[in-house]
Amino acid sequence: MRNNKNLRKWLDDMQLSHPLLIAGPCSAETEQQVLDIANQLKDSNASVFRAGIWKPRTRPGYFEGVGSLALQWMKKVKLETGMLTTTEVANPNHVDLALKNEIDILWVGARTTVNPFIIQEIAEALRGTEKIVLIKNPINPDLSLWLGAIERFYSSNIKNIGAIHRGFSTYEKTKYRNNPEWQITIDLQRKLPDLPLILDPSHMAGRRDLIFDLCQTGLDLNYDGFMIESHNDPDNAWSDSKQQITPDSLKQLTQNLKVRRATNDDDFYLETLNGLRAQIDVHDNKLINTLGNRMKVAEKIGLLKKKNNVAIFQSKRWNEILANMLLEGEEKKLSEEFILKFFKAIHQESINHQENIIKKD
Ligand code: PEP
Ligand code: MN
């Protein structure tokens, strides 16, 4: 696990355990429900209690949160359990109410991060705050939009910023409610290595049975903490019932997770690793050469099609390639998801090369 200096400072300042665990229901429903869950979480690793008070819903007509009434319940959680509290803020009025009612950590939801106007308003409302502000990824897989939101908060002199990865909406359906697209947060970690990164496996999975594996992947990819939806009666939750887990399941889950070391300076380990990495470099170079050669052939095809006035995209041929490669891939234990992504990217690059040839006069 990476030793993120900003997260370490937060945890030390607030005497919280590492990795940071935020847990609690999707929505605050009743005072009893909030306090029951918080008390059941008291002896878990969770040090921050979450509950949505104002709920953004994709479609109207669903439960939209109990509103500011629940702020009093959150105060009671703090008094009764000693946990810190966090809720989603989606406009300056929410910010004002949350700050007045001593919410400790604020988070910005995925539907808000997509909108620079609202992000700017929220950042202004929070200007100069010492509080921790966690920014969820935007709904669409767009790293620059996420980075833009983070930058707006930094520019408002808010120093304690973290990111929450809750997955992305994609055209192609996957087993996840919101596809992880791990590559995006690998890029985010490269660009902002000191930004604490928290995984929300609940909204990513959309279902209970995928949460553990997502958390383990998060730890293996150096995430600093988790936000996990937990409810005392998940099946009857007023929102996101399929993805919430009981406080007992949460305790079990965190016990089974393997926190790995950031690195190891043992000589044998380092030598073996370097040897294997050298092999990977050889394969990567071969791949690049092969891809370069493949594109040269695509250009010849482009020229031929141009001379014969034939359209670039040939769906029958493309279906054949895909079907063959899926079969070959299966033999080599390459996942269908990977083969589809890889060959679609190659095919698109081929089309681009052919187009360049056809457009040239
Ligand atoms: C939530 O955390 O309950 C929520 C609405 O999440 P998201 O913004 O990720 O959809
Ligand atoms: Mn939810």
Side-chain angles (χ1 to χ4, degrees):
M1 156 150 302
R2 119 186 117 141
N3 196 357
N4 182 293
K5 66 172 196 259
N6 284 336
L7 186 92
R8 277 276 173 209
K9 189 175 169 312
W10 296 352
L11 300 182
D12 290 349
D13 287 355
M14 297 187 292
Q15 297 177 337
L16 303 179
S17 60
H18 188 260
L20 177 65
L21 179 60
I22 302 171
C26 177
S27 307
E29 298 165 7
T30 64
E31 179 169 348
Q32 195 60 46
Q33 171 248 16
V34 165
L35 292 175
D36 280 353
I37 298 170
N39 278 301
Q40 288 176 31
L41 287 169
K42 212 160 50 175
D43 61 343
S44 72
N45 291 335
S47 43
V48 182
F49 181 82
R50 68 148 279 157
I53 292 176
W54 302 284
K55 298 301 298 175
R57 305 310 299 267
T58 305
R59 293 174 52 211
Y62 290 83
F63 172 59
E64 291 187 329
V66 293
S68 47
L69 173 69
L71 291 164
Q72 300 309 318
W73 310 343
M74 298 296 260
K75 274 191 199 160
K76 285 197 183 164
V77 166
K78 228 191 308 198
L79 272 176
E80 282 189 20
T81 68
M83 292 168 104
L84 299 184
T85 56
T86 182
T87 199
E88 173 174 351
V89 288
N91 63 41
N93 181 40
H94 296 163
V95 169
D96 187 46
L97 286 166
L99 294 181
K100 279 194 183 124
N101 285 280
E102 295 150 36
I103 294 284
D104 301 289
I105 296 175
L106 309 178
W107 93 76
V108 173
R111 291 164 190 76
T112 305
T113 309
V114 292
N115 187 329
F117 288 123
I118 308 268
I119 286 291
Q120 190 62 41
E121 284 181 13
I122 296 175
E124 288 299 338
L126 281 166
R127 182 170 284 283
T129 185
E130 297 285 320
K131 298 230 180 217
I132 295 173
V133 181
L134 302 173
I135 303 159
K136 286 203 176 194
N137 66 255
I139 292 184
N140 48 326
D142 183 343
L143 178 58
S144 51
L145 199 53
W146 198 1
L147 287 170
I150 291 166
E151 205 182 314
R152 284 177 198 274
F153 283 94
Y154 276 128
S155 308
S156 293
N157 197 21
I158 300 162
K159 295 181 196 74
N160 294 317
I161 298 176
I164 302 178
H165 178 206
R166 50 78 83 192
F168 301 89
S169 220
T170 48
Y171 171 61
E172 273 163 85
K173 288 284 159 249
T174 69
K175 66 179 172 179
Y176 302 105
R177 177 177 175 193
N178 291 293
N179 206 34
E181 311 275 357
W182 298 108
Q183 198 56 49
I184 294 185
T185 46
I186 290 173
D187 283 348
L188 179 70
Q189 290 191 48
R190 198 166 40 81
K191 283 192 170 37
L192 298 174
D194 294 328
L195 182 76
L197 180 58
I198 288 162
L199 182 71
D200 170 350
S202 307
H203 292 90
M204 193 174 272
R207 47 188 252 207
R208 290 184 257 288
D209 60 325
L210 300 177
I211 292 180
F212 176 81
D213 279 353
L214 285 171
C215 288
Q216 189 58 59
T217 304
L219 283 179
D220 294 337
L221 293 177
N222 290 326
Y223 281 59
D224 303 292
F226 303 108
M227 180 192 260
I228 302 178
E229 285 189 340
S230 181
H231 195 288
N232 52 351
D233 183 8
D235 286 336
N236 292 307
W238 296 5
S239 57
D240 288 351
S241 59
K242 290 197 179 73
Q243 70 198 31
Q244 305 205 54
I245 58 174
T246 61
D248 277 342
S249 313
L250 181 76
K251 287 171 211 168
Q252 195 63 48
L253 180 147
T254 50
Q255 269 172 23
N256 293 341
L257 285 173
K258 287 195 176 52
V259 178
R260 301 190 220 278
R261 286 184 266 198
T263 186
N264 187 331
D265 40 23
D266 174 77
D267 283 346
F268 178 72
Y269 161 76
L270 287 175
E271 258 170 47
T272 316
L273 183 68
N274 286 340
L276 293 170
R277 283 183 170 164
Q279 288 183 39
I280 291 275
D281 289 346
V282 169
H283 288 299
D284 283 351
N285 282 320
K286 273 194 206 157
L287 265 176
I288 288 287
N289 266 327
T290 304
L291 288 171
N293 290 339
R294 191 192 191 281
M295 293 310 150
K296 281 190 195 129
V297 178
E299 284 166 12
K300 283 186 190 157
I301 292 183
L303 205 57
L304 191 67
K305 284 178 182 165
K306 183 180 181 174
K307 280 192 187 137
N308 291 278
N309 202 24
V310 172
I312 295 179
F313 178 53
Q314 300 286 324
S315 66
K316 188 164 163 275
R317 165 74 177 147
W318 169 227
N319 288 336
E320 279 165 13
I321 293 182
L322 217 46
N324 283 338
M325 291 303 108
L326 282 170
L327 275 179
E328 295 277 339
E330 204 181 328
E331 228 165 75
K332 296 265 185 292
K333 298 204 167 23
L334 299 170
S335 74
E336 186 177 319
E337 187 191 353
F338 169 70
I339 294 288
L340 286 175
K341 261 197 196 151
F342 187 61
F343 276 93
K344 279 182 187 178
I346 290 180
H347 185 238
Q348 184 59 55
E349 184 69 10
S350 264
I351 289 180
N352 296 348
H353 279 253
Q354 295 188 38
E355 280 212 310
N356 285 342
I357 296 286
I358 288 201
K359 282 181 192 149
K360 230 191 256 167
D361 33 41

